[in-house]
Amino acid sequence: MTALTLSTAAAPGLRADAIVIGVGKGGKGPVVAPGADAVDKAYDGRLAGVLETLGASGAEGEITKLPAPAGFKAPLVLAVGLGAEPKDGDAYDAEALRRAAGVAARALTGAKKAAFALPLADAADAGAIAEGALLGAYSFDAYKDNGKDAKGKGPLGEVALLGGKPRDKEYKAAVERALAVTEELNRARDLINTPPNDLDPEAFAAVAQTAAKEHGIKVEVLDEKALEKGGYGGILGVGAGSAAGPRLVKLSYTHADATKHLAFVGKGITYDSGGISLKPAGHNETMKCDMSGAAAVFAAVVAAARLGLEVNVTGWLALAENMPSGSATRPGDVLRMYSGKTVEVLNTDAEGRLVLADALWAASAEKPDAIVDVATLTGAMVLALGSRTFGVMANDDAFRAAIVDAAEEVGEPSWPMPLPEHLRKGMDSPTADIANMGERMGGGLVAGLFLREFVGEGITWAHLDIAGPAFNEAGPFGYTPKGGTGSAVRTLVRLAELTAAGDLG
């Protein structure tokens, strides 16, 4: 785990493996960003020229390494591109700082300590840089020798934020928030990256139980017997083909002064083979990530507890493994859901909506002020929005807009999506109340319409389809690693903060 400190030390005298500075992309070449004054002075004010000679432009994510000037205790200066220089003297925005810090932290894998001298004007900047550095330093090496990467290097050991104010309440609060959110987000990444032979529904539930005990969160786990007794036909139907039984985990964080209640519901398919509607080769190798929604919900509830937010937050983790076998649900089977509705299963690979339906109805029974579900639900959403943006659907336009705004604020790309009523007819079934499939075109919207059927009357609800950004199969970028990303965690935490502050609903 990467350590984090606020430091008032001057860059030349700080013992570290590297000094990280920011470089903007100006109209006539690279521009040294605020925070690097001491380094620029040591280069007689010619640092921008030196960087340009080395090929630097200040483009976002660009890394340039150069020897530290004489008199510096750190041997290396690492210049990271911040992107376009702000106009009219404006400051770099929080997301630019997050991404730059993440790139720098990843580039310094193997280093014991780095001093970050990025633009830091206030506590919000400190929080953004801390968040980016801690997320960028992430590495999943649990299954490698000595917990190190392929080059034998561990993650950056310590980040010192130069220009920070260790005794200032706002700075301390910003850093403490960054630590809580990033540690839980990185725990979600660990869960997503864990091989499915080591993370079945029971194992996931055990992780949640341990964390709940540590942070004063009430936890309830329904196993197969309890699910059968309760009539959770959706979760049981999806898990019927696996030797690893399903679970429904309820995490309840409460605050004595809270007046609002949020419910988060996460899809937790710990491995999705597609069931009898088996996925073809090339589409099942990364399906350990199909529990990313549940991981995000779990992380967000724990983060809310660690931050002591004045809002009640309940997390529902709908956990199952979708496997083919003689006991598996077949296409054509009809399931009776927890709500009492019947669903004709036309495709067993449309299983996420079945487990979510039961969890949504269970969450609705408590009459929360709002429900947000998170799921790697449809390939159609990836086709629509690509691999970095999640879709947001809701039964309330204002709530949908608030979620999109919250996501943008924390740096998670999202896009509002509609719920066209004409697509509902495609799920009509001659046998059951509804089918789990409808029209092929607009499949992500069809899935949202299906989920809406299982939300209690009068309850504000939104659905986040994170199928695109939940698992990064390409190379790392910004503070986002390859593999599990922890998508939606920061959006959910921000929603909880806004609700606690009375700024949402």
Side-chain angles (χ1 to χ4, degrees):
M1 187 69 68
T2 302
L4 179 69
T5 57
L6 290 168
S7 176
T8 57
L14 188 67
R15 293 187 182 278
D17 295 299
I19 305 292
V20 176
I21 63 170
V23 184
K25 187 173 184 178
K28 297 181 180 180
V31 178
V32 178
D37 301 348
V39 179
D40 190 27
K41 182 179 180 181
Y43 277 96
D44 297 324
R46 295 180 294 178
L47 179 56
V50 172
L51 289 169
E52 187 171 21
T53 300
L54 293 173
S57 68
E60 180 183 323
E62 180 184 74
I63 288 289
T64 307
K65 296 181 180 180
L66 61 161
F72 275 63
K73 292 184 178 180
L76 175 72
V77 172
L78 186 147
V80 58
L82 288 160
E85 181 186 22
K87 296 179 180 179
D88 302 323
D90 290 342
Y92 288 93
D93 64 38
E95 184 61 7
L97 297 178
R98 280 191 207 98
R99 291 178 180 175
V103 170
R106 186 168 55 253
L108 290 168
T109 296
K112 293 181 179 180
K113 182 177 181 178
F116 281 59
L118 294 173
L120 200 164
D122 55 26
D125 288 346
I129 296 168
E131 199 172 278
L134 294 172
L135 293 177
Y138 173 83
S139 180
F140 184 71
D141 302 316
Y143 291 80
K144 297 179 180 179
D145 286 345
N146 302 318
K148 297 180 179 179
D149 67 9
K151 297 181 180 179
K153 297 180 179 180
L156 173 62
E158 181 183 346
V159 171
L161 299 187
L162 301 189
K165 300 177 181 178
R167 297 182 181 180
D168 185 283
K169 290 183 179 180
E170 290 187 0
Y171 277 77
K172 288 174 66 176
V175 167
E176 287 170 2
R177 180 192 182 278
L179 280 168
V181 173
T182 58
E183 285 177 2
E184 296 313 319
L185 192 153
N186 284 337
R187 179 171 12 204
R189 288 173 171 178
D190 283 347
L191 288 167
I192 298 164
N193 289 324
T194 298
N197 58 316
D198 281 345
L199 191 75
D200 61 16
E202 183 179 3
F204 195 149
V207 172
Q209 286 175 305
T210 300
K213 183 178 181 180
E214 180 182 356
H215 296 290
I217 300 168
K218 183 179 178 181
V219 61
E220 180 181 359
V221 178
L222 302 186
D223 61 12
E224 301 100 313
K225 290 183 179 180
L227 291 169
E228 187 172 350
K229 183 178 179 180
Y232 291 86
I235 297 175
L236 287 167
V238 172
S242 175
R247 297 288 187 274
L248 178 61
V249 179
K250 178 185 177 184
L251 297 164
S252 302
Y253 161 69
T254 57
H255 190 286
D257 299 322
T259 58
K260 295 287 186 178
H261 177 198
L262 291 177
F264 297 150
V265 177
K267 172 188 172 184
I269 305 301
T270 56
Y271 181 75
D272 182 18
S273 70
I276 297 297
S277 305
L278 193 66
K279 292 180 185 290
H283 291 77
N284 54 18
E285 292 82 355
T286 61
M287 282 297 102
K288 64 182 181 181
C289 79
D290 214 19
M291 37 59 70
S292 296
V297 167
F298 166 53
V301 175
V302 177
R306 290 182 60 174
L307 294 171
L309 300 182
E310 197 171 306
V311 58
N312 295 333
V313 183
T314 305
W316 299 84
L317 317 182
L319 309 176
E321 186 177 60
N322 188 23
M323 297 290 286
S325 74
S327 61
T329 294
R330 298 157 289 247
D333 283 355
V334 173
L335 304 176
R336 186 170 294 279
M337 311 297 282
Y338 182 57
S339 69
K341 284 187 179 182
T342 55
V343 176
E344 182 180 10
V345 180
L346 298 180
N347 187 329
T348 64
D349 196 22
E351 84 299 328
R353 63 199 71 182
L354 299 175
V355 300
L356 285 173
D358 277 354
L360 283 168
W361 194 254
S364 296
E366 297 191 338
K367 303 294 183 183
D369 293 286
I371 299 175
V372 180
D373 76 69
V374 187
T376 47
L377 207 60
T378 65
M381 197 58 62
V382 186
L383 290 173
L385 299 178
S387 61
R388 296 191 184 184
T389 304
F390 62 75
V392 183
M393 286 153 268
N395 62 3
D396 181 284
D397 289 347
F399 189 53
R400 181 183 64 185
I403 291 175
V404 172
D405 288 345
E408 181 179 7
E409 183 181 349
V410 300
E412 295 197 302
S414 69
W415 197 257
M417 301 295 283
L419 290 172
E421 293 298 336
H422 71 274
L423 292 176
R424 169 61 183 85
K425 185 173 177 57
M427 291 184 282
D428 286 349
S429 166
T431 309
D433 294 320
I434 190 173
N436 78 326
M437 293 290 288
E439 293 183 29
R440 181 183 178 192
M441 299 303 173
L445 313 181
V446 170
L449 286 165
F450 179 91
L451 295 177
R452 190 182 66 178
E453 297 280 323
F454 298 89
V455 176
E457 186 175 354
I459 298 176
T460 301
W461 157 81
H463 161 57
L464 279 53
D465 190 336
I466 62 169
F471 196 83
N472 177 25
E473 295 186 61
F477 60 92
Y479 48 80
T480 302
K482 186 171 184 175
T485 65
S487 177
V489 172
R490 290 179 296 142
T491 297
L492 294 180
V493 173
R494 188 61 188 141
L495 286 175
E497 289 176 325
L498 290 169
T499 304
D503 296 330
L504 187 70

